[in-house]
Amino acid sequence: MRPPIASELPVAAQPGRPVPRHGWAQALGVVLAASIAMLVVAAVGLWAAGATGLPKGAYLPVVLATVVTAVGGAVELSGNAGELARTNAGLTVVPLSVTLVGALVAAGGFLRPLRHRAVAGAAELAGWAARIAALWLLALVGLAAGARHTFAVDVGSGTLSDLTGALGAAPEAGFTTDVPQTAGFGLLWLAGVLLLALLVSRGAPLPGRLLRFQASVRPAAHAMVVLLLAYVVLALLIALATMVTRGHARETLAVILLGLPNLAWPAFTLGLGATWKGRVDGPFGLPVPTVLAEVLRTPDVSTLNLRTVTAHDGRWWWLAGVAALLLLAAAFLMAVRSPARIRAWQHALHLAVALALTMLTLCLTGRISAHYGLSLLGIGDLGGNLSGELLLAPVLWPAVGLGALWGLLAGFLGALLARPVQRRGEVAP
């Protein structure tokens, strides 16, 4: 039977033919779907965290600010406490649950009209992405414009309340957004999501000049995304089990909807041997297992790695075992999805580069920094419930190097395990 010629194929399957249904209306649908999904996740997560009790209608602006930070936007905290006092605050954290939901929805909407295509022109892909980016920019500006609010800080009753009242130093705190910075980083976030979607999806078309790279890039990128999603699913199962057995349903739901990857992905880096530096002081706390909180709540900056964690509880060596097992499974998946002509040492190099880049991304997005305080007459923080500090930062380049080494080993072993599996480009005997 002769193969069908191009004119006999469905329009969507004909290479070089423009894809129908990816105009402005479809781009608007992608942007609306991603924005609504992120807003819903942030709103429910903040409700579970008790943010609806914030004073003076702060709940909605906080929801918008959460979405802004989820896509790399800049939220600036500010304070005012009259002439003789000052408040200071700073916050750096990415709610990665909201980020992940937005990325999955945006990527799915971007890829949907490109299905069943073998090849797509660079201009066609760029035009489709540009439509989404233009509407996304408008959405970012709207989100940033609404993410600002100011409200009073409750100092309680007693001497401190009387003193701040007498001095006209009733503290206020607020937040606002840097609109240009939010727009810039938000567009970079979208570009990264769309590029990663093209790299990960086997069915997504690429320009003809880039087809030669798909055998080396796509299987490794797909394996890393599957690995990270597997960690999120594992963390979700643990969180749900904790919710059922120990209660605290609302608190657990807040963690799931706002920061589940913030726990799962640093745990992956710890399992590979990475080190983080951190400190918890004052009323701040991290929604982490007790042993991790104990390591971090010290007078000075603490070291968080497998050694310090297992010194508190030896059972936490399971982090290394889970990381090794899931990484080997990802390496096997990468090898199975690769053409048979790719040699084992090439698999090792591909996974080393992919895992090093993944570790770099996880370390940069997993940083947490928070501080607030109130001082009177220029004399330090008043302490108590009016000051606190939270810090969690990676030791970056050693973690990236560990990722490369683990990738070399796992990539090679995964290729050996995949040898009995028939793959593309292999002729059956």
Side-chain angles (χ1 to χ4, degrees), residues 357-419:
L357 292 175
T358 299
M359 291 287 280
L360 177 62
T361 302
L362 296 183
C363 288
L364 292 178
T365 58
R367 297 170 180 265
I368 299 176
S369 175
H371 169 81
Y372 76 95
L374 171 66
S375 62
L376 285 175
L377 304 175
I379 304 175
D381 285 335
L382 295 181
N385 288 328
L386 298 178
S387 67
E389 182 180 16
L390 175 62
L391 172 68
L392 186 64
V395 181
L396 182 60
W397 296 114
V400 175
L402 283 169
L405 292 176
W406 274 95
L408 284 172
L409 177 61
F412 189 82
L413 293 177
L416 297 181
L417 292 175
R419 279 184 175 177

Side-chain angles (χ1 to χ4, degrees), residues 6 85 98 183 208 220 337 387:
V98 181
R337 289 175 62 94
S387 67

Side-chain angles (χ1 to χ4, degrees), residues 160-178:
L160 181 58
S161 177
D162 297 338
L163 183 60
T164 56
L167 296 176
E172 291 183 341
F175 60 90
T176 186
T177 52
D178 185 327

Side-chain angles (χ1 to χ4, degrees), residues 266 268-276 304-306 359 363 394-395 398-399 402:
F268 170 59
T269 68
L270 290 176
L272 296 186
T275 296
W276 293 67
L304 181 65
N305 54 30
L306 271 180
M359 291 287 280
C363 288
V395 181
L402 283 169

Side-chain angles (χ1 to χ4, degrees), residues 35-36 38-40 42-44 46-47 50-69 75 142-151 175 177:
S35 301
I36 292 173
M38 298 174 79
L39 286 168
V40 169
V44 178
L46 289 168
W47 165 81
T52 52
L54 290 172
K56 296 178 61 176
Y59 174 63
L60 180 57
V62 168
V63 171
L64 298 179
T66 302
V67 175
V68 166
T69 57
V75 175
L143 290 170
R148 54 191 66 201
H149 194 76
T150 301
F151 46 88
F175 60 90
T177 52

